[in-house]
Amino acid sequence: MNHKHFIIYKPYGYLSQFTSNDSKQQSKRFLGELHDFPEGMMSIGRLDEKSEGLLLLTTDGKMSDFINSRKVDKEYYALVDGDIPEDAVLQLKDGVVIGFDGKKYRTKPCKVHKLKTKPKLPERSKKIRDARHGPVSWVSITLNEGKFRQVRKMTSAVGYPTLRLVRVRVGAIQLNAMQPGNVIAVDVFNI
């Protein structure tokens, strides 16, 4: 079977699914609005409605399972509320306790660093609080696990809630200069 693969920049406010029959979700926005995707398409991992950035799509379940396994790094840029100090960055690196499935969970050690300059990202469709209303800072967090809302829970656990979250890399695939809503068909994923 010839599988189809896509790289997209999931915009803020979209769900990581293609359609829904749920009456409660009829006002929501879905990936199917961005492109006419082939039958059997699935997102590899998810980004919540308020998160944006790189999302891989495929019709190949084995590829999806491989990328969702712990073998592939996923890098996020998080704009956090406040000027995050080095000790909070070190806590994030070492792992922090978050809630997951009604239980306490200690995140695995990961790569974290504070960005020296604001990353070059497209403006978000919905305005967010910025430095005019108090200090903010950007951090890069690279994980190879992916619990529900993990990055947001991690930054909150150290006292610096996430204001904006953008996935910028999955393995070797980068967001680069893509804009929200861009869809690129690819022959294979070079992870």
Side-chain angles (χ1 to χ4, degrees):
M1 175 179 187
N2 286 339
H3 287 289
K4 305 288 184 191
H5 312 288
F6 295 87
I7 298 169
I8 72 168
Y9 187 132
K10 186 193 92 60
Y12 173 88
Y14 280 72
L15 296 177
S16 293
Q17 61 193 66
F18 299 92
T19 60
S20 176
N21 294 326
D22 186 341
S23 61
K24 296 176 192 160
Q25 291 188 328
Q26 294 310 307
S27 63
K28 301 289 186 179
R29 304 203 69 186
F30 299 95
L31 299 178
E33 297 173 33
L34 302 174
H35 186 80
D36 185 19
F37 293 105
E39 190 76 25
M41 187 62 55
M42 66 188 92
S43 60
I44 301 176
R46 293 186 175 262
L47 290 171
D48 67 34
E49 187 175 7
K50 293 182 179 178
S51 299
E52 59 190 287
L54 186 62
L55 189 61
L56 308 182
L57 307 175
T58 187
T59 57
D60 184 350
K62 288 182 181 178
M63 175 64 69
S64 178
D65 288 345
F66 172 76
I67 293 172
N68 281 326
S69 74
R70 297 183 181 178
K71 297 178 179 88
V72 179
D73 283 347
K74 293 148 196 94
E75 183 178 8
Y76 300 83
Y77 286 168
L79 175 66
V80 297
D81 188 1
D83 185 12
I84 192 167
E86 190 58 29
D87 67 322
V89 170
L90 291 174
Q91 287 176 47
L92 291 169
K93 280 184 185 179
D94 292 341
V96 295
V97 175
I98 62 172
F100 178 69
D101 275 348
K103 300 176 189 142
K104 296 293 183 190
Y105 174 78
R106 184 169 207 43
T107 61
K108 303 215 178 316
C110 60
K111 298 174 190 163
V112 182
H113 66 275
K114 185 175 177 179
L115 298 175
K116 292 179 175 40
T117 59
K118 179 182 173 185
K120 290 180 172 56
L121 295 169
E123 288 297 316
R124 196 171 82 172
S125 61
K126 183 176 180 190
K127 294 291 179 198
I128 52 177
R129 191 182 82 62
D130 59 25
R132 292 173 297 166
H133 306 286
V136 294
S137 45
W138 283 94
V139 291
S140 166
I141 300 176
T142 303
L143 310 169
N144 56 19
E145 61 178 339
K147 302 294 184 203
F148 182 70
R149 296 183 178 236
Q150 181 172 341
V151 172
R152 291 179 187 282
K153 290 177 181 180
M154 288 172 66
T155 64
S156 287
V158 297
Y160 295 86
T162 296
L163 301 171
R164 183 180 184 191
L165 184 62
V166 183
R167 185 188 293 153
V168 296
R169 183 174 63 82
V170 175
I173 302 170
Q174 297 189 10
L175 195 59
N176 294 325
M178 289 181 76
Q179 296 295 309
N182 284 167
V183 177
I184 301 170
V186 294
D187 292 330
V188 295
F189 291 130
N190 292 317
I191 302 295

